Amino acid sequence: MEQERCERCGRSLGAAREGTHYCERCIHSIEQLGSRGLWMATIAMLLLLVALAAGMALLAPSLGSEITGTGRLVIGLVVTILPALLWLALFYQQDRLEPEPRGFVISLFILGFLMGGAVAQPLLRSVFEVQRWAEPGSLMNLLSATLLNGLITASLTYFAVRFTVFPTDEFDERIDGIVYGTAAALGLGVAANLAYLLENGTISLGVGALTIIVTSLVYATFGAIVGYFLGLIKPGGGPDWLAPAGVIVAAVLHGLYEWLSSRLGESGAGLSYNPWPGLIVTALFSLATFGLVFMLIRNAYRGMTLPVVEESAA
Amino acid sequence: MTTQTVGLSQQPKPLSRMADYMVLGLLILALVAGYFLRQSNLFATRDVSVQGVTFAVPRDSVMVSNDPFELTTPEGLTVRIMRDSAPATGVADLGALTGSRALKQSALLPMYQTLEADTAEIAGQPVGVLDYAYVDDQSSFYTSGLEVQHGREVLIGQGDQVIIISVEGPDSASDQLEDFWPKLLNSLRFNTAPAGGS
């Protein structure tokens, strides 16, 4: 009878099963060893992101109209890519057992960006012209954000992962789906943020920085959801319908996020615009979805954990 | 990562095309639904009733003034409804009606030119139709060049008066005018029977 062995220490885990598994001891020791460093790294990342947002908010008014088209593009690229890379690093750290090759993760991030720039954004802005007919905060906004923004983004994330790393041997843990899904979705998020920044000009650099950071996180979490469901199929051995289910869950959450942020971002009294209520609520929404992803990651680890079986008994 | 163990852990679930087809199907459904949402919203209209006539304008048009009635469509076209006294020849002679209107406008608007004068029947009522252009004297020659305004008017006789519905916009918005004009004419209804018919 074929034996399942712990991927890390080689202890016997009993009869062979589908997917990669670890013994309880290895999982426990990694959780114990990594937890403190991980928390420190997470806090450091969050502080960096807050500093970036604060820096942009302070710098934007003084930059004013001095920024030329090229300058705006360069600043836009930095403001959109930096938070995405920081979030990517944060999610990448969660894959502690067998970190995925960085080349694969970065390639998926770039692929996501290219798909966002070449497919998602032109579809949304030029073909469907969502900005022209979906009034912010309306029911139509919720529908369009779910059906178009949500489903297009989630489907592209699915296809990006499915036709690149999914068939390879590297994709052998449930958490791999989360890491790769996050990378692809963050690329799509960068394209969306860049389009937003270029459309709104330099005025939005201040208020826009926080929006961009939150949007990056939101894309990352929705990508993680799509990836988690992919992980349930391949290493997890789940049924095929989990693939569209993951896409639907991510799309619905995406739609809710877009609707919520635009509804709360509406102008208050008169022509005044106060972005903070919307940003605070969407940041809370993002943290909730971030928490959900952490829960999925823990769940993924639990799914890979098996008790050690004595060789003689096995 | 590649596994070191032998057995099932080295043979992950075979890739299923069904999952891809389901996601692709979802995406196609979403795109089709998105297309219908776009069409129904982008071309959504609302009815406007002024001076005894009702017609449809784009839903997101912005009212500029009530008297005289003027609104701006999202495409930047201006819709106006005016009431003017009928020419001495009356409202039955549509050729004279359009000619008289063109003459009046040429005295008011710089470089006014009638591109086409015609008659038509709308909701069973003969009307005069004018296609015209003029130079917008509000535009600045030094900064942006002179702007040509292109417009169309429908002239509806009503007793000793004429109801004029005009749609005009910059020449660059001619395509939008071409799109909007037939929709406006098709939606036109008379709340009270115009008295100027033949």
Side-chain angles (χ1 to χ4, degrees):
Chain A
M1 189 179 177
E2 288 172 351
Q3 289 288 302
E4 176 79 53
R5 291 190 179 277
C6 173
E7 186 70 15
R8 199 155 176 262
C9 67
R11 286 193 184 95
S12 174
L13 301 173
R17 294 168 176 84
E18 201 168 274
T20 304
H21 294 94
Y22 298 88
C23 69
E24 284 171 331
R25 288 177 209 170
C26 284
I27 293 282
H28 184 69
S29 65
I30 284 169
E31 279 179 353
Q32 290 296 104
L33 282 171
S35 59
R36 195 173 169 199
L38 187 68
W39 275 111
M40 295 292 279
T42 305
I43 290 165
M45 292 285 184
L46 290 171
L47 286 176
L48 257 173
L49 286 164
V50 171
L52 181 73
M56 286 315 301
L58 288 172
L59 272 176
S62 57
L63 290 171
S65 57
E66 288 170 18
I67 309 172
T68 59
T70 318
R72 185 189 298 180
L73 186 68
V74 171
I75 291 176
L77 279 170
V78 172
V79 170
T80 51
I81 290 175
L82 203 58
L85 289 178
L86 289 172
W87 285 127
L88 186 58
L90 196 60
F91 276 88
Y92 186 74
Q93 283 175 354
Q94 312 307 315
D95 190 12
R96 283 162 287 163
L97 281 168
E98 286 180 27
E100 297 308 301
R102 281 187 193 145
F104 276 31
V105 177
I106 298 288
S107 299
L108 260 174
F109 174 73
I110 294 169
L111 178 64
F113 174 65
L114 293 176
M115 286 172 103
V119 183
Q121 294 310 311
L123 261 179
L124 292 169
R125 288 170 191 272
S126 304
V127 177
F128 289 105
E129 298 174 288
V130 179
Q131 70 282 3
R132 278 183 66 194
W133 51 267
E135 193 186 331
S138 64
L139 181 68
M140 201 49 67
N141 182 218
L142 178 63
L143 263 177
S144 70
T146 308
L147 283 172
L148 294 172
N149 299 36
L151 266 169
I152 288 174
T153 306
S155 305
L156 289 179
T157 305
Y158 171 85
F159 289 122
V161 177
R162 169 66 180 85
F163 292 107
T164 53
V165 290
F166 188 83
T168 68
D169 289 340
E170 298 294 348
F171 198 111
D172 60 349
E173 294 172 3
R174 283 192 206 175
I175 196 168
D176 296 349
I178 296 174
V179 173
Y180 290 128
T182 303
L186 272 170
L188 284 157
V190 168
N193 276 332
L194 202 58
Y196 160 80
L197 204 63
L198 292 177
E199 199 170 76
N200 290 279
T202 50
I203 296 168
S204 62
L205 272 180
V207 226
L210 201 56
T211 311
I212 284 166
I213 289 167
V214 172
T215 306
S216 286
L217 171 61
V218 165
Y219 269 80
T221 48
F222 300 151
I225 291 168
V226 174
Y228 176 77
F229 278 81
L230 270 171
L232 289 178
I233 297 173
K234 191 187 172 186
D240 290 341
W241 59 261
L242 283 171
V247 169
I248 290 171
V249 170
V252 169
L253 283 172
H254 194 145
L256 274 174
Y257 161 75
E258 296 260 347
W259 177 74
L260 200 66
S261 63
S262 62
R263 188 162 182 84
L264 293 162
E266 282 173 350
S267 58
L271 291 172
S272 64
Y273 176 75
N274 182 7
W276 295 106
L279 279 174
I280 289 166
V281 174
T282 48
L284 289 175
F285 183 86
S286 312
L287 284 174
T289 46
F290 193 47
L292 173 77
V293 172
F294 268 99
M295 204 181 76
L296 295 179
I297 290 170
R298 283 184 71 87
N299 192 36
Y301 274 136
R302 213 167 290 145
M304 292 189 298
T305 312
L306 290 173
V308 175
V309 177
E310 292 305 321
E311 295 279 357
S312 55
Chain B
M1 295 291 156
T2 48
T3 55
Q4 290 172 340
T5 50
V6 290
L8 286 174
S9 58
Q10 277 191 326
Q11 297 163 10
K13 196 185 173 203
L15 304 177
S16 164
R17 284 281 167 207
M18 189 48 71
D20 302 335
Y21 292 142
M22 284 194 275
V23 175
L24 190 64
L26 258 181
L27 181 62
I28 291 169
L29 267 178
L31 294 180
V32 171
Y35 174 77
F36 282 111
L37 281 179
R38 177 192 183 273
Q39 295 302 100
S40 62
N41 279 280
L42 213 50
F43 302 111
T45 57
R46 64 182 161 95
D47 281 350
V48 171
S49 289
V50 193
Q51 311 256 14
V53 290
T54 301
F55 56 93
V57 293
R59 193 183 56 189
D60 297 328
S61 298
V62 177
M63 183 71 86
V64 178
S65 81
N66 261 321
D67 193 19
F69 178 89
E70 184 178 324
L71 63 76
T72 306
T73 69
E75 284 79 24
L77 299 172
T78 303
V79 181
R80 292 191 190 94
I81 299 183
M82 296 149 279
R83 194 178 274 270
D84 201 1
S85 53
T89 51
V91 292
D93 184 352
L94 292 172
L97 189 68
T98 51
S100 163
R101 171 69 181 168
L103 203 62
K104 265 189 183 175
Q105 291 292 84
S106 63
L108 292 171
L109 302 168
M111 305 287 288
Y112 179 90
Q113 266 197 315
T114 304
L115 303 175
E116 197 179 337
D118 206 352
T119 59
E121 195 172 285
I122 295 170
Q125 168 70 34
V127 294
V129 178
L130 270 177
D131 189 1
Y132 64 90
Y134 65 93
V135 173
D136 181 9
D137 57 3
Q138 303 291 313
S139 58
S140 167
F141 173 76
Y142 294 105
T143 55
S144 59
L146 291 170
E147 198 170 73
V148 173
Q149 292 284 313
H150 182 199
R152 287 191 185 154
E153 285 181 337
V154 58
L155 312 172
I156 306 152
Q158 200 169 54
D160 58 348
Q161 292 202 309
V162 186
I163 296 172
I164 304 150
I165 304 173
S166 75
V167 181
E168 67 177 44
D171 202 37
S172 55
S174 285
D175 288 346
Q176 286 88 326
L177 179 65
E178 287 290 337
D179 279 349
F180 179 52
W181 184 248
K183 287 175 191 159
L184 182 134
L185 293 187
N186 289 334
S187 69
L188 208 55
R189 297 189 305 276
F190 303 106
N191 303 339
T192 52
S198 55

